[in-house]
Amino acid sequence: MARKVLTSLKSILKDAQRRGNVAQNVAAAVVIKKDKRTENVKLKVGVDIPTTQEVGVIIGAAKGRWRPVLMTAAFVGLRASELRGLRWKDVDLKGEKIHVRQRADRLNQIGRPKSAAGDREIPLRPIVLQTLREWKLVCPKGDLGLVFPNGDGGIENLSNILQRGFQPAQVTAGVMVPAKDEHGKPLRDGNGKPVFVAKYYGIHSLRHFHASWLINRKADGGLELPPKEVQTRLGHSSITMTLDVYGHLFPRGREDVEITDLERSLSLA
């Protein structure tokens, strides 16, 4: 984003210089350098990406309209803006796929996907199909025909998804870490009970989970898809972005529970 803004600023000043409004383009020599502190930081399972077990218990703990939202986020990998802008007319339950054609930004404005690559079709897993079929019967109706609207059928706020849906589900599911003192020992309250600190995942973590599942080896419960297919499903504008963020595999944290087992347990929940 910084590079895009700088490019626009350079163009404005270049035009102003051509018109004689400024003596020189003072932004011409400015460059945006990479942050060396985060350049090589990799996403970690259990920190940035919820484990398969955590996803299972979180979705299992989700109530009402939040369950289909979280289910779709984890098993389809849509961005939060794409979830909020998704229409029923773009969900092909018979063809078992979703076509991403629009999104709703933080200001609740409907627009095109982030890039041309964002306009894409994504196959649906059986567990998502089942959930969406059931949800469609009780989904609030609105002029926009949204899949995950608010109670009045309008665009759902991102803060509501987080504060009323995702975060409470994590607390109910017990996705928490014990608090420790400066010596690394577990803290206890006056009654001798352990003190816990909530470890909230952001909604984007479910997209990370989905991406890691696409990349993971089949022996570990993943799909083991080639990078180009992962890029297509995620809607990345370039293969470089996909490889920079998800190029490393996640060999730990998913071996104990395969996706199929998770789907089966959620179907019975």
Side-chain angles (χ1 to χ4, degrees):
M1 179 59 71
R3 291 190 181 92
K4 289 181 179 179
V5 172
L6 180 59
T7 298
S8 298
L9 178 59
K10 288 181 178 180
S11 297
I12 292 171
L13 292 177
K14 182 178 180 180
D15 184 66
Q17 185 179 22
R18 180 182 62 80
R19 295 170 181 268
N21 294 326
V22 295
Q24 60 178 324
N25 186 345
V26 294
V30 178
V31 296
I32 302 296
K33 296 181 178 179
K34 291 185 178 181
D35 187 344
K36 298 298 183 180
R37 296 172 300 176
T38 60
E39 185 176 356
N40 297 317
V41 174
K42 295 182 179 180
L43 299 173
K44 296 181 180 179
V45 175
V47 178
D48 309 293
I49 308 171
T51 67
T52 304
Q53 286 182 317
E54 287 177 326
V55 169
V57 294
I58 289 172
I59 293 179
K63 305 297 183 181
R65 62 194 178 106
W66 305 118
R67 182 182 172 104
V69 175
L70 301 184
M71 181 80 74
T72 304
F75 288 96
V76 183
L78 298 184
R79 299 178 175 92
S81 60
E82 295 169 344
L83 284 168
R84 295 166 57 241
L86 184 64
R87 301 172 295 185
W88 282 114
K89 63 185 294 185
D90 297 324
V91 179
D92 185 354
L93 295 176
K94 291 185 179 180
E96 302 182 357
K97 59 186 177 181
I98 280 179
H99 193 149
V100 181
R101 291 189 173 95
Q102 65 177 33
R103 69 189 186 104
D105 64 19
R106 289 180 176 273
L107 299 178
N108 289 347
Q109 298 296 315
I110 295 292
R112 299 291 298 170
K114 291 184 65 176
S115 65
D119 190 321
R120 63 200 189 278
E121 286 188 352
I122 307 173
L124 293 176
R125 300 283 293 184
I127 184 63
V128 181
L129 283 169
Q130 172 190 329
T131 300
L132 290 180
R133 287 192 182 106
E134 295 173 355
W135 170 239
K136 191 173 184 179
L137 299 176
V138 297
C139 175
K141 302 298 188 293
D143 294 337
L144 297 176
L146 298 177
V147 178
F148 304 119
N150 57 24
D152 298 323
I155 300 173
E156 181 63 272
N157 289 324
L158 178 59
S159 60
N160 284 342
I161 296 177
L162 292 173
Q163 297 173 14
R164 299 181 183 180
F166 195 30
Q167 291 179 356
Q170 292 180 66
V171 173
T172 302
V175 181
M176 307 172 76
V177 294
K180 297 181 179 181
D181 62 20
E182 57 183 357
H183 302 295
K185 296 182 178 180
L187 290 176
R188 296 183 178 276
D189 61 20
N191 297 320
K193 296 182 179 180
V195 177
F196 293 89
V197 177
K199 179 182 66 174
Y200 291 125
Y201 287 111
I203 192 67
H204 202 72
S205 67
L206 294 179
R207 179 169 161 84
H208 290 326
F209 167 80
H210 182 78
S212 66
W213 168 54
L214 297 179
I215 294 171
N216 277 354
R217 296 168 297 179
K218 292 182 179 180
D220 296 332
L223 293 186
E224 204 171 335
L225 297 180
K228 193 64 179 177
E229 178 64 18
V230 175
Q231 176 201 347
T232 300
R233 293 201 185 189
L234 293 177
H236 285 164
S237 58
S238 70
I239 191 65
T240 301
M241 176 183 296
T242 305
L243 294 176
D244 282 348
V245 180
Y246 303 113
H248 59 296
L249 297 178
F250 309 102
R252 298 182 178 84
R254 308 219 197 287
E255 292 86 343
D256 50 351
V257 181
E258 293 190 0
I259 292 295
T260 51
D261 293 333
L262 171 57
E263 289 181 335
R264 189 178 300 112
S265 66
L266 289 172
S267 299
L268 299 175

